[in-house]
Amino acid sequence: MTSSDAKTQALRTVVVPAAGLGTRFLPATKTVPKELLPVVETPGIELIAREAIAAGADHLAIITAPKKSGVMGHFDTDQELEATLESRGKDEQLRRVRGVNGLIKAIPVEQEKPLGLGHAISLAEDVLGDDEDCFAVMLPDDLVLPFGVMEKMAEIRKKHGGTVLCAFEVPREDVFNYGVFDVEDSGEEHVKCVKGMVEKPAVEDAPSNFVATGRYLLDRAVFDALRRTKPGKGGEIQITDAIELMIQEGHPVHILVHEGVRHDLGNPGGYVRACVDFALRNDTYGPGLRRWLEQRIKEDDDKSLVSGLGLPS
Ligand code: UTP
């Protein structure tokens, strides 16, 4: 087996849950799925598709909701648009529109009601080939940069088996916002064994400051655990509860402690930061934005900007 065969064997299917209500982003998400909100010009769903391609996957199982058909539409070829761009010599725009067309197969899986992330993941079982013993989950509202995290997670699974999750270290006082891991050292740098998981604990009860983020390399055994997982917080089936069940039953779970950048696109504050970060790194928009930001922050420091924008609240 060549090394690229081994990579493909390790990861073929990426499940992309995109059926949530996006309530933190209302009213925008009343009509626009949050997965289509652009980070500069590229929607989150396309950034995830590119990450999946880079990780060697050959298809995406996109969990969609009845009212969010635009998410799948992003992967459709628009021949009329492409022909118009071509005839007008808009090569750069054409390149962007063709972005992920044909590079990866996107399979829609409908989740009729938003019954939770665990429920969304459970719907992907039929998309997996019979010989696939693991699959990835990438949340499109979570950017984990630079790309390459899933490949590192696949290496950990090769060595330890079981399930591998991605974690970030956050300041202790912020843990109440996240799923928090109870861990012990594995003897390897950036890898820890997981003994348990707690969803959004009080700061004083948190077992560590390693928190879950939106990248999972799940053993197929998770489907059986999800079938036995009762609805938890908010009446939803939580993936953390299924993983906790697997840990209790002796299934090996490890985390990769990622040291790069993470942007939470699921809330307006995190989304704005991601846009600024990407725009600052962009050759076209970066230099002008940097100058404007420096000036804008200086105005605040000088307290010379006394009035707001006059927008009604
Ligand atoms: P989130 O909780 O971040 O997304 O779920 P949400 O529910 O859309 O957002 P809020 O909390 O109302 O603002 C994480 C990911 O899981 C998907 C979401 O689309 C998001 O990508 N999800 C969540 C589903 O696919 N189905 C669900 O039932 C719940």
Side-chain angles (χ1 to χ4, degrees):
M1 188 188 289
T2 66
S3 65
S4 81
D5 287 340
K7 194 164 128 188
T8 312
Q9 286 266 322
L11 180 64
R12 275 160 45 196
T13 305
V14 174
V15 176
V16 185
L21 291 175
T23 55
R24 286 166 294 169
F25 245 116
L26 284 167
T29 44
K30 190 176 163 200
T31 52
V32 182
K34 74 175 167 187
E35 296 77 12
L36 293 181
L37 296 175
V39 181
V40 187
E41 72 272 297
T42 310
I45 193 76
E46 182 172 325
L47 293 170
I48 283 291
R50 290 189 194 169
E51 183 179 343
I53 292 164
D58 54 28
H59 58 278
L60 302 177
I62 301 186
I63 316 297
T64 60
K67 283 190 182 165
K68 295 174 82 175
S69 57
V71 175
M72 287 312 295
H74 190 71
F75 294 92
D76 292 344
T77 305
D78 186 337
Q79 281 172 345
E80 198 181 329
L81 176 63
E82 289 185 18
T84 307
L85 294 173
E86 201 158 13
S87 68
R88 293 185 185 176
K90 293 188 178 280
D91 298 339
E92 173 54 22
Q93 288 87 340
L94 185 61
R95 192 188 60 76
R96 278 194 225 150
V97 165
R98 286 188 172 150
V100 291
N101 284 1
L103 285 180
I104 193 159
K105 189 172 166 197
I107 301 166
V109 178
E110 189 167 288
Q111 186 186 30
E112 270 179 47
K113 293 207 168 83
L115 298 176
L117 177 57
H119 179 259
I121 293 171
S122 74
L123 299 174
E125 188 170 12
D126 290 343
V127 176
L128 259 62
D130 291 343
D131 58 340
E132 278 183 89
D133 55 5
C134 73
F135 63 100
V137 174
M138 295 184 181
L139 301 190
D141 57 2
D142 221 340
L143 293 183
V144 181
L145 301 161
F147 284 1
V149 170
M150 200 48 81
E151 290 92 315
K152 288 186 194 159
M153 291 164 69
E155 285 302 317
I156 297 170
R157 180 177 146 91
K158 250 190 217 164
K159 190 160 178 193
H160 298 280
T163 284
V164 184
L165 310 171
C166 180
F168 270 81
E169 213 170 349
V170 297
R172 187 96 198 163
E173 60 272 23
D174 292 343
V175 289
F176 67 92
N177 285 315
Y178 300 94
V180 181
F181 295 110
D182 185 4
V183 293
E184 58 190 24
D185 275 339
S186 71
E188 288 163 65
E189 214 189 355
H190 306 313
V191 181
K192 299 200 181 292
C193 308
V194 181
K195 293 189 294 171
M197 248 184 121
V198 197
E199 192 60 33
K200 302 194 169 111
V203 172
E204 57 278 16
D205 299 333
S208 76
N209 58 342
F210 295 110
V211 303
T213 183
R215 297 295 176 276
Y216 308 73
L217 184 59
L218 297 172
D219 190 278
R220 198 181 182 116
V222 76
F223 293 122
D224 178 54
L226 280 166
R227 273 189 282 278
R228 293 183 286 128
T229 301
K230 304 257 174 314
K233 247 180 202 167
E236 297 186 343
I237 296 182
Q238 306 286 353
I239 186 67
T240 32
D241 291 343
I243 292 171
E244 176 65 33
L245 178 64
M246 291 165 81
I247 294 168
Q248 280 167 17
E249 294 177 347
H251 179 86
V253 177
H254 290 82
I255 52 171
L256 166 72
V257 180
H258 181 59
E259 295 205 316
V261 173
R262 184 223 174 185
H263 288 302
D264 178 4
L265 302 182
N267 73 80
Y271 173 78
V272 169
R273 281 187 204 176
C275 292
V276 172
D277 189 15
F278 273 54
L280 283 172
R281 295 167 201 258
N282 182 298
D283 290 343
T284 308
Y285 309 115
L289 177 63
R290 181 177 301 279
R291 280 193 301 278
W292 181 82
L293 276 175
E294 281 167 0
Q295 180 60 33
R296 178 67 184 74
I297 288 164
K298 193 166 163 291
E299 283 169 3
D300 264 5
D301 288 347
D302 293 348
K303 306 237 179 318
S304 56
L305 195 83
V306 284
S307 63
L309 293 176
L311 293 172
S313 62

